[in-house]
Amino acid sequence: MNRTELAQQVASRGGVDGSQAKAAVDAVFETIADELQGGGEVSVSGFGKFSVADRAARQGVNPATGEKIQIAASKAAKFSPASGLKNKLNG
């Protein structure tokens, strides 16, 4: 499912116009991204928690040449599902 299909599902389940649903979905994603960018986390009860994970600098290998390269430290978005979501997925 992509963003457009998600917005269509939100529109049909929420009984709202498609453009309103798209705007709501976009706003949710932008809000989560902004919070993570600021170093915070977003916890949605029964669904899960979005947070930021720090990745340390490390040494890698270029697969084409075999040359060792330095990979810079970075931040990555992390999602931890809540038990409610896990239970729904596992029956």
Side-chain angles (χ1 to χ4, degrees):
M1 177 181 290
N2 62 32
R3 186 182 288 226
T4 302
E5 293 167 339
L6 178 60
Q8 289 170 350
Q9 286 292 318
V10 169
S12 67
R13 291 180 184 211
V16 296
D17 182 73
S19 61
Q20 292 173 324
K22 183 180 181 319
V25 168
D26 289 345
V28 168
F29 289 143
E30 288 174 23
T31 302
I32 291 171
D34 289 347
E35 184 64 23
L36 294 179
Q37 184 180 24
E41 61 182 40
V42 177
S43 182
V44 181
S45 180
F47 186 73
K49 180 172 74 172
F50 297 90
S51 60
V52 178
D54 291 318
R55 291 187 176 171
R58 61 195 187 278
Q59 194 171 49
V61 177
N62 181 335
T65 64
E67 177 186 359
K68 291 185 179 184
I69 57 173
Q70 188 64 24
I71 301 171
S74 63
K75 295 181 184 289
K78 179 180 169 184
F79 176 73
S80 302
S83 61
L85 179 59
K86 288 179 187 178
N87 292 339
K88 187 168 186 169
L89 295 176
N90 293 305

